[in-house]
Amino acid sequence: MPALRAVILDLDDTLFDDGACTRAGLAAVAAGHGISHWAPEELFARHAQHIRDIDPLLFRGEVSAHGARVLRFTRQLTDLGAPQPDGEAATLTYRAAYRGAWTLLDGAPDFLRELRARGLRTAILTNYVREVQREKLSHFGLDQWVDAVLCIEDVPAPKPDPRAYQAACAALAVPPPEAVMVGDSWTNDVEGARAAGLRAIWLHRGGQRAPDPQVPQSDTLAGVLPLLD
């Protein structure tokens, strides 16, 4: 097996705690509309489904990132039974609470610093828009520890399309067999990466075992480091 030269990382729920921030935003929207008959996890699951439904429109350029959010919350409020669903106002409420809850997952800065100390090239590969993802990295100072950031505007197609991982490898000037993809999504960060010729490590914090036992996995970023040796 070729020596490992590069680590490509997902961002949301890999380095950045997107789940916690999303829950904070949804709670603010529900409170602002006096909605209490949906459990938080129901709100989260329905919101995630709306993202999956709307993302193809965003990826094809049929809606802007803001337009996707407005559509998402118009649908979410309709689900919740709001009499006059105002997706624009809900988007502003959500974004303020979401951004106010920004936090990194444990060990993210130390993990990136260690990769740099080992001489490994690093990239962020994310299926979201540049404006938001680069702001997150800059806000926490993580951008100084990565060599490339590829958002949805920077790749020919989103993960799990092989071209996304190939673009990240090209940005780091390494062939796919010399790179590993690390992330929390089995489909986007493991299956897609392996199909493109990269290695993969599944970062799963829920205690679930990997569908394929040959894929190394960890429930912490610190636990990923020994898997790179």
mmCIF file of all heavy atoms in Angstrom, residues 25-51:
data_model
loop_
_atom_site.group_PDB
_atom_site.id
_atom_site.type_symbol
_atom_site.label_atom_id
_atom_site.label_comp_id
_atom_site.label_asym_id
_atom_site.label_seq_id
_atom_site.Cartn_x
_atom_site.Cartn_y
_atom_site.Cartn_z
ATOM 1 N N GLY A 25 -30.903 26.098 16.467
ATOM 2 C CA GLY A 25 -31.653 26.894 15.501
ATOM 3 C C GLY A 25 -33.095 26.460 15.399
ATOM 4 O O GLY A 25 -34.022 27.298 15.360
ATOM 5 N N LEU A 26 -33.330 25.163 15.374
ATOM 6 C CA LEU A 26 -34.704 24.655 15.274
ATOM 7 C C LEU A 26 -35.500 24.981 16.526
ATOM 8 O O LEU A 26 -36.703 25.285 16.443
ATOM 9 C CB LEU A 26 -34.672 23.148 15.034
ATOM 10 C CG LEU A 26 -34.112 22.699 13.685
ATOM 11 C CD1 LEU A 26 -33.995 21.175 13.640
ATOM 12 C CD2 LEU A 26 -34.985 23.199 12.537
ATOM 13 N N ALA A 27 -34.857 24.907 17.677
ATOM 14 C CA ALA A 27 -35.549 25.252 18.919
ATOM 15 C C ALA A 27 -35.975 26.720 18.900
ATOM 16 O O ALA A 27 -37.075 27.063 19.363
ATOM 17 C CB ALA A 27 -34.643 24.976 20.114
ATOM 18 N N ALA A 28 -35.130 27.593 18.366
ATOM 19 C CA ALA A 28 -35.464 29.017 18.288
ATOM 20 C C ALA A 28 -36.647 29.247 17.356
ATOM 21 O O ALA A 28 -37.541 30.054 17.651
ATOM 22 C CB ALA A 28 -34.250 29.811 17.826
ATOM 23 N N VAL A 29 -36.679 28.545 16.223
ATOM 24 C CA VAL A 29 -37.802 28.680 15.291
ATOM 25 C C VAL A 29 -39.095 28.197 15.940
ATOM 26 O O VAL A 29 -40.139 28.855 15.852
ATOM 27 C CB VAL A 29 -37.516 27.903 13.993
ATOM 28 C CG1 VAL A 29 -38.766 27.861 13.106
ATOM 29 C CG2 VAL A 29 -36.359 28.546 13.225
ATOM 30 N N ALA A 30 -39.036 27.039 16.604
ATOM 31 C CA ALA A 30 -40.243 26.498 17.245
ATOM 32 C C ALA A 30 -40.739 27.437 18.338
ATOM 33 O O ALA A 30 -41.946 27.707 18.441
ATOM 34 C CB ALA A 30 -39.941 25.117 17.813
ATOM 35 N N ALA A 31 -39.817 27.952 19.153
ATOM 36 C CA ALA A 31 -40.215 28.870 20.224
ATOM 37 C C ALA A 31 -40.809 30.154 19.662
ATOM 38 O O ALA A 31 -41.799 30.691 20.192
ATOM 39 C CB ALA A 31 -39.014 29.185 21.105
ATOM 40 N N GLY A 32 -40.223 30.640 18.581
ATOM 41 C CA GLY A 32 -40.713 31.878 17.985
ATOM 42 C C GLY A 32 -42.103 31.758 17.398
ATOM 43 O O GLY A 32 -42.788 32.775 17.208
ATOM 44 N N HIS A 33 -42.522 30.528 17.097
ATOM 45 C CA HIS A 33 -43.851 30.314 16.538
ATOM 46 C C HIS A 33 -44.796 29.641 17.535
ATOM 47 O O HIS A 33 -45.882 29.190 17.169
ATOM 48 C CB HIS A 33 -43.756 29.477 15.260
ATOM 49 C CG HIS A 33 -43.180 30.234 14.095
ATOM 50 N ND1 HIS A 33 -41.827 30.449 13.956
ATOM 51 C CD2 HIS A 33 -43.784 30.843 13.034
ATOM 52 C CE1 HIS A 33 -41.617 31.154 12.858
ATOM 53 N NE2 HIS A 33 -42.763 31.413 12.283
ATOM 54 N N GLY A 34 -44.359 29.565 18.801
ATOM 55 C CA GLY A 34 -45.218 28.987 19.836
ATOM 56 C C GLY A 34 -45.543 27.526 19.599
ATOM 57 O O GLY A 34 -46.637 27.066 19.950
ATOM 58 N N ILE A 35 -44.609 26.802 19.017
ATOM 59 C CA ILE A 35 -44.854 25.397 18.678
ATOM 60 C C ILE A 35 -44.162 24.510 19.704
ATOM 61 O O ILE A 35 -42.953 24.580 19.888
ATOM 62 C CB ILE A 35 -44.324 25.091 17.266
ATOM 63 C CG1 ILE A 35 -45.152 25.863 16.238
ATOM 64 C CG2 ILE A 35 -44.365 23.593 16.970
ATOM 65 C CD1 ILE A 35 -44.532 25.918 14.871
ATOM 66 N N SER A 36 -44.946 23.686 20.387
ATOM 67 C CA SER A 36 -44.383 22.811 21.416
ATOM 68 C C SER A 36 -44.855 21.366 21.277
ATOM 69 O O SER A 36 -44.500 20.526 22.094
ATOM 70 C CB SER A 36 -44.756 23.329 22.814
ATOM 71 O OG SER A 36 -46.172 23.383 22.962
ATOM 72 N N HIS A 37 -45.655 21.080 20.243
ATOM 73 C CA HIS A 37 -46.234 19.737 20.139
ATOM 74 C C HIS A 37 -45.350 18.780 19.365
ATOM 75 O O HIS A 37 -45.707 17.614 19.197
ATOM 76 C CB HIS A 37 -47.610 19.807 19.481
ATOM 77 C CG HIS A 37 -47.627 20.429 18.112
ATOM 78 N ND1 HIS A 37 -47.529 21.785 17.929
ATOM 79 C CD2 HIS A 37 -47.724 19.880 16.873
ATOM 80 C CE1 HIS A 37 -47.571 22.051 16.630
ATOM 81 N NE2 HIS A 37 -47.676 20.910 15.969
ATOM 82 N N TRP A 38 -44.179 19.247 18.901
ATOM 83 C CA TRP A 38 -43.222 18.361 18.229
ATOM 84 C C TRP A 38 -42.000 18.193 19.120
ATOM 85 O O TRP A 38 -41.449 19.172 19.632
ATOM 86 C CB TRP A 38 -42.788 18.946 16.885
ATOM 87 C CG TRP A 38 -43.784 18.787 15.780
ATOM 88 C CD1 TRP A 38 -45.091 19.171 15.785
ATOM 89 C CD2 TRP A 38 -43.547 18.202 14.501
ATOM 90 N NE1 TRP A 38 -45.687 18.875 14.583
ATOM 91 C CE2 TRP A 38 -44.767 18.278 13.772
ATOM 92 C CE3 TRP A 38 -42.432 17.635 13.876
ATOM 93 C CZ2 TRP A 38 -44.886 17.807 12.471
ATOM 94 C CZ3 TRP A 38 -42.549 17.169 12.586
ATOM 95 C CH2 TRP A 38 -43.771 17.254 11.885
ATOM 96 N N ALA A 39 -41.571 16.958 19.314
ATOM 97 C CA ALA A 39 -40.363 16.700 20.088
ATOM 98 C C ALA A 39 -39.144 17.193 19.307
ATOM 99 O O ALA A 39 -39.158 17.219 18.072
ATOM 100 C CB ALA A 39 -40.225 15.205 20.368
ATOM 101 N N PRO A 40 -38.079 17.610 20.007
ATOM 102 C CA PRO A 40 -36.880 18.113 19.318
ATOM 103 C C PRO A 40 -36.331 17.155 18.267
ATOM 104 O O PRO A 40 -35.912 17.592 17.188
ATOM 105 C CB PRO A 40 -35.886 18.323 20.462
ATOM 106 C CG PRO A 40 -36.751 18.606 21.656
ATOM 107 C CD PRO A 40 -37.966 17.758 21.476
ATOM 108 N N GLU A 41 -36.322 15.865 18.553
ATOM 109 C CA GLU A 41 -35.780 14.924 17.578
ATOM 110 C C GLU A 41 -36.680 14.783 16.352
ATOM 111 O O GLU A 41 -36.214 14.487 15.256
ATOM 112 C CB GLU A 41 -35.509 13.571 18.226
ATOM 113 C CG GLU A 41 -34.300 13.584 19.147
ATOM 114 C CD GLU A 41 -33.056 14.194 18.503
ATOM 115 O OE1 GLU A 41 -32.646 13.742 17.414
ATOM 116 O OE2 GLU A 41 -32.488 15.147 19.087
ATOM 117 N N GLU A 42 -37.991 14.983 16.550
ATOM 118 C CA GLU A 42 -38.898 14.981 15.397
ATOM 119 C C GLU A 42 -38.613 16.186 14.510
ATOM 120 O O GLU A 42 -38.599 16.072 13.274
ATOM 121 C CB GLU A 42 -40.347 15.004 15.872
ATOM 122 C CG GLU A 42 -40.823 13.732 16.542
ATOM 123 C CD GLU A 42 -42.264 13.838 17.007
ATOM 124 O OE1 GLU A 42 -42.567 14.748 17.791
ATOM 125 O OE2 GLU A 42 -43.077 13.007 16.573
ATOM 126 N N LEU A 43 -38.399 17.340 15.143
ATOM 127 C CA LEU A 43 -38.054 18.544 14.382
ATOM 128 C C LEU A 43 -36.759 18.327 13.597
ATOM 129 O O LEU A 43 -36.662 18.686 12.425
ATOM 130 C CB LEU A 43 -37.881 19.734 15.324
ATOM 131 C CG LEU A 43 -39.128 20.295 16.010
ATOM 132 C CD1 LEU A 43 -38.727 21.363 17.010
ATOM 133 C CD2 LEU A 43 -40.090 20.867 14.983
ATOM 134 N N PHE A 44 -35.787 17.728 14.269
ATOM 135 C CA PHE A 44 -34.482 17.509 13.639
ATOM 136 C C PHE A 44 -34.598 16.545 12.460
ATOM 137 O O PHE A 44 -34.032 16.793 11.386
ATOM 138 C CB PHE A 44 -33.509 16.955 14.682
ATOM 139 C CG PHE A 44 -32.092 16.832 14.191
ATOM 140 C CD1 PHE A 44 -31.232 17.920 14.238
ATOM 141 C CD2 PHE A 44 -31.613 15.634 13.683
ATOM 142 C CE1 PHE A 44 -29.920 17.815 13.799
ATOM 143 C CE2 PHE A 44 -30.311 15.515 13.229
ATOM 144 C CZ PHE A 44 -29.462 16.608 13.293
ATOM 145 N N ALA A 45 -35.343 15.467 12.638
ATOM 146 C CA ALA A 45 -35.478 14.473 11.570
ATOM 147 C C ALA A 45 -36.209 15.052 10.367
ATOM 148 O O ALA A 45 -35.822 14.815 9.214
ATOM 149 C CB ALA A 45 -36.216 13.243 12.098
ATOM 150 N N ARG A 46 -37.271 15.819 10.615
ATOM 151 C CA ARG A 46 -38.013 16.407 9.498
ATOM 152 C C ARG A 46 -37.162 17.455 8.775
ATOM 153 O O ARG A 46 -37.178 17.540 7.539
ATOM 154 C CB ARG A 46 -39.316 17.034 10.007
ATOM 155 C CG ARG A 46 -40.256 17.515 8.912
ATOM 156 C CD ARG A 46 -40.690 16.364 8.011
ATOM 157 N NE ARG A 46 -41.473 15.397 8.732
ATOM 158 C CZ ARG A 46 -42.803 15.408 8.798
ATOM 159 N NH1 ARG A 46 -43.485 16.369 8.205
ATOM 160 N NH2 ARG A 46 -43.437 14.477 9.464
ATOM 161 N N HIS A 47 -36.412 18.230 9.535
ATOM 162 C CA HIS A 47 -35.514 19.224 8.959
ATOM 163 C C HIS A 47 -34.475 18.543 8.078
ATOM 164 O O HIS A 47 -34.176 19.002 6.963
ATOM 165 C CB HIS A 47 -34.849 20.006 10.094
ATOM 166 C CG HIS A 47 -33.865 21.033 9.654
ATOM 167 N ND1 HIS A 47 -32.506 20.825 9.683
ATOM 168 C CD2 HIS A 47 -34.035 22.294 9.172
ATOM 169 C CE1 HIS A 47 -31.885 21.906 9.252
ATOM 170 N NE2 HIS A 47 -32.779 22.807 8.938
ATOM 171 N N ALA A 48 -33.908 17.437 8.557
ATOM 172 C CA ALA A 48 -32.906 16.702 7.776
ATOM 173 C C ALA A 48 -33.501 16.182 6.477
ATOM 174 O O ALA A 48 -32.837 16.192 5.430
ATOM 175 C CB ALA A 48 -32.347 15.549 8.606
ATOM 176 N N GLN A 49 -34.759 15.744 6.525
ATOM 177 C CA GLN A 49 -35.407 15.262 5.307
ATOM 178 C C GLN A 49 -35.610 16.395 4.311
ATOM 179 O O GLN A 49 -35.404 16.208 3.096
ATOM 180 C CB GLN A 49 -36.751 14.605 5.627
ATOM 181 C CG GLN A 49 -37.447 14.005 4.408
ATOM 182 C CD GLN A 49 -36.601 12.942 3.728
ATOM 183 O OE1 GLN A 49 -36.184 11.979 4.365
ATOM 184 N NE2 GLN A 49 -36.317 13.102 2.446
ATOM 185 N N HIS A 50 -35.979 17.573 4.795
ATOM 186 C CA HIS A 50 -36.134 18.719 3.893
ATOM 187 C C HIS A 50 -34.792 19.088 3.248
ATOM 188 O O HIS A 50 -34.754 19.455 2.065
ATOM 189 C CB HIS A 50 -36.708 19.915 4.646
ATOM 190 C CG HIS A 50 -38.156 19.780 4.981
ATOM 191 N ND1 HIS A 50 -39.088 19.349 4.070
ATOM 192 C CD2 HIS A 50 -38.844 20.005 6.141
ATOM 193 C CE1 HIS A 50 -40.281 19.319 4.648
ATOM 194 N NE2 HIS A 50 -40.155 19.713 5.899
ATOM 195 N N ILE A 51 -33.710 18.993 4.010
ATOM 196 C CA ILE A 51 -32.386 19.265 3.428
ATOM 197 C C ILE A 51 -32.100 18.279 2.301
ATOM 198 O O ILE A 51 -31.653 18.670 1.211
ATOM 199 C CB ILE A 51 -31.295 19.189 4.510
ATOM 200 C CG1 ILE A 51 -31.419 20.378 5.469
ATOM 201 C CG2 ILE A 51 -29.901 19.157 3.877
ATOM 202 C CD1 ILE A 51 -30.446 20.326 6.635
#
